Amino acid sequence: MNKMLNSKIYRSQLDRRIIYRYLLVYFKALSREFGIPAINYTLTKDYHLESADYDVNFPGYRILEFTEFNDDVLGLINHIKDYFGDVYDEYLQQLLLAYFISDFDRDGKNIKMYEQDGEIHLIPYMDISSIFNSLFLTDLASDYYYFPADDMEKWAEESNKLSDGSFIVSTDSINQEFNRLLKDNSDALFSLREPLWSDITWETILNIIFTDLIDKTVIERIANTPFGFLKEKYFANFPENVITLIESLYLHRQRRLIELYNQYNKEINSTATPI
């Protein structure tokens, strides 16, 4: 990311959900391993998302905003391509990162650039609150699914003390319920046909990326980054259900990306070597 000078602190209140602390690590891990710049967010103890790299507003800089595309993702993409070609490749890479964290909110409210001395720079931020957006529309958002094992056991014991005996919970029953809910909601959580703010789907966005992206090595990095490597390096101490959740998304998105990219290459070059 381009280094910013003394920018103001961004501060946004998130829902007080344990899962955010893990999803933030997931987001940063992908940014680092894929080589896609992203803002260094911090999640505070009171569940505010903060960053000193978020917004710029000081002499010599002109912020470019795109609110005219708040309901037109495709129009925004074409506008950046036509008028801001110098940052278009970086923008497409950020769309790839958004795809892998399931941040569907990529309209005009969520893209900013700044101009300094005639040069355009992209501010590479994401909506952390939109990660796994569909997750928070289901019972899977409940904190107790993502407690460490000891904390989950304590929570179950305390819940049983308050029970009238009509139900008894345990770590096994909590985990079984999590797995059932994950299976039942997998289409809603992971579907590539999940629309962005407009009616554009991720499949449409990916085909634009495949066609327009100049530096396609990022796709190869993604295709060759196994989840096991990410797990060992970044997620080894995560609670089991957190790992299951992000692994499900990652592998689903990686598999479809590879399938669609190979299909795209085959259509334009029948001798292309699959990745």
Side-chain angles (χ1 to χ4, degrees), residues 102-120:
S102 195
D103 173 8
F104 75 97
D105 189 4
R106 306 311 307 155
D107 64 9
K109 296 188 297 296
N110 289 290
I111 178 68
K112 284 187 181 180
M113 299 179 192
Y114 70 92
E115 182 181 12
Q116 182 189 31
D117 299 329
E119 292 188 2
I120 300 298

Side-chain angles (χ1 to χ4, degrees), residues 132 135 140 146 176-187 189-190 241 244-246 248-249:
F132 282 85
L135 171 71
L140 275 168
Y146 310 109
Q176 288 171 9
E177 180 71 4
F178 168 82
N179 289 323
R180 183 187 67 78
L181 287 170
L182 184 62
K183 181 179 179 180
D184 290 348
N185 291 280
S186 60
D187 286 344
L189 289 173
F190 308 139
N241 289 342
T244 298
L245 182 68
I246 62 176
S248 297
L249 175 67

Side-chain angles (χ1 to χ4, degrees), residues 174-241:
I174 293 170
N175 291 331
Q176 288 171 9
E177 180 71 4
F178 168 82
N179 289 323
R180 183 187 67 78
L181 287 170
L182 184 62
K183 181 179 179 180
D184 290 348
N185 291 280
S186 60
D187 286 344
L189 289 173
F190 308 139
S191 174
L192 290 191
R193 298 190 179 278
E194 165 192 83
L196 283 72
W197 271 122
S198 58
D199 293 331
I200 306 302
T201 67
W202 279 118
E203 285 186 339
T204 300
I205 298 297
L206 287 175
N207 277 302
I208 293 172
I209 292 171
F210 298 155
T211 302
D212 291 351
L213 187 67
I214 296 173
D215 182 11
K216 292 185 172 62
T217 58
V218 65
I219 298 176
E220 296 174 5
R221 288 197 298 274
I222 293 171
N224 293 310
T225 302
F227 184 80
F229 167 81
L230 296 173
K231 176 182 176 180
E232 182 177 350
K233 187 172 181 179
Y234 297 101
F235 317 138
N237 296 321
F238 279 17
E240 179 181 348
N241 289 342

Side-chain angles (χ1 to χ4, degrees), residues 231-266:
K231 176 182 176 180
E232 182 177 350
K233 187 172 181 179
Y234 297 101
F235 317 138
N237 296 321
F238 279 17
E240 179 181 348
N241 289 342
V242 176
I243 293 176
T244 298
L245 182 68
I246 62 176
E247 181 179 21
S248 297
L249 175 67
Y250 181 82
L251 292 181
H252 184 279
R253 292 289 162 97
Q254 184 188 50
R255 181 169 57 251
R256 288 298 290 145
L257 177 79
I258 293 171
E259 289 172 354
L260 291 170
Y261 187 58
N262 285 335
Q263 178 181 326
Y264 164 81
N265 280 331
K266 186 176 181 179

